[in-house]
Amino acid sequence: CAAVGQFDIEVREPPVATQPTEFTKCDDLGEPNDGITVFDLTEKDEEIAGPPAPGLNVTYYELEADAEAGINPIDPATAYTNITNPQVIYVRVDDQGVECNSLTTLNLRVVPNPEPVIPDALIACDDEEPMDGTEVFNLTDRELQILDGESWTATYYETYANAVDETAAIPDPTMYTSGSQIIYVRVTNTMSVDMCFEIVELELIVNPL
């Protein structure tokens, strides 16, 4: 005896997981260069999977086997500290609408900051009338010492926050009128596309006669 039935075969297209560009970050500001920093991996979501869409999920893994199995994702992906430099991260894109996934990789790299020399203080005597505790300094007098032969650039700021944000730089560091205070020197590696920088303090001292 025989009977005839039927069933459907459906081939579904998996989501596209695009190979992203290398994810680079500068090393931690104010700390020795150790090649370790914190990455927000989700910054690469759209580059990998395209615009956000319902049912489309991007997850990140340290191991390729975990990415293939969909287990042990990096959590939270918004604050991942790399363990080697450079490091390969495995990325899985799931489309719940078609129940398919695709895999790709993401390269992480930490770029070293400049390592400027902490300069000697600039010292002046308060010998100019009206002897008000201020003198004119040429802040660039310590630039050779700070740069230590490197081709970095130095800019000068009155506050640490301005140096970090790169706002309100001292317009003419060669003619800066000041009393005793700290100047913040932002040293930037302009030869690198990442423009990594470090900040050192330059002390100004005005001594009374």
Side-chain angles (χ1 to χ4, degrees):
C1 298
V4 177
Q6 67 181 33
F7 59 90
D8 294 329
I9 295 177
E10 181 181 357
V11 178
R12 298 175 175 176
E13 290 291 334
V16 176
T18 303
Q19 174 76 49
T21 57
E22 185 175 63
F23 195 175
T24 62
K25 286 195 66 177
C26 298
D27 218 320
D28 296 325
L29 187 63
E31 301 290 338
N33 287 318
D34 60 2
I36 304 296
T37 194
V38 178
F39 291 83
D40 180 357
L41 303 178
T42 64
E43 291 180 19
K44 287 291 187 176
D45 282 3
E46 193 162 337
E47 185 181 350
I48 294 169
L56 195 65
N57 295 320
V58 181
T59 45
Y60 299 85
Y61 303 82
E62 289 183 338
L63 302 177
E64 185 176 13
D66 286 349
E68 292 173 346
I71 59 174
N72 302 319
I74 293 171
D75 186 24
T78 54
Y80 175 70
T81 301
N82 63 306
I83 54 178
T84 63
N85 186 37
Q87 181 177 349
V88 176
I89 293 294
Y90 299 91
V91 189
R92 176 181 172 122
V93 180
D94 284 282
D95 188 341
Q96 297 175 356
V98 296
E99 299 179 352
C100 295
N101 66 79
S102 294
L103 303 179
T104 188
T105 56
L106 169 62
N107 295 322
L108 307 181
R109 184 180 299 275
V110 180
V111 181
N113 295 327
E115 295 181 314
V117 174
I118 298 174
D120 298 328
L122 287 174
I123 303 173
C125 292
D126 187 17
D127 55 7
E128 296 292 335
E129 294 293 345
M131 296 185 181
D132 57 358
T134 67
E135 286 295 319
V136 176
F137 290 88
N138 180 358
L139 304 181
T140 65
D141 283 346
R142 291 289 182 263
E143 200 159 293
L144 286 177
Q145 182 185 10
I146 293 170
L147 299 183
D148 195 27
E150 298 289 346
S151 56
W152 303 320
T153 60
T155 46
Y156 300 82
Y157 300 85
E158 293 180 334
T159 70
Y160 181 83
N162 284 347
V164 172
D165 297 336
E166 208 170 4
T167 57
I170 294 172
D172 185 0
T174 64
M175 293 289 292
Y176 181 70
T177 302
S178 172
S180 297
Q181 71 171 95
I182 298 295
I183 294 297
Y184 299 89
V185 188
R186 178 184 172 120
V187 179
T188 306
N189 182 5
T190 55
M191 305 299 291
S192 168
V193 295
D194 299 281
M195 299 287 282
C196 295
F197 67 93
E198 190 54 85
I199 295 171
V200 293
E201 295 182 356
L202 170 59
E203 185 179 10
L204 307 183
I205 300 174
V206 179
N207 287 325
L209 295 180

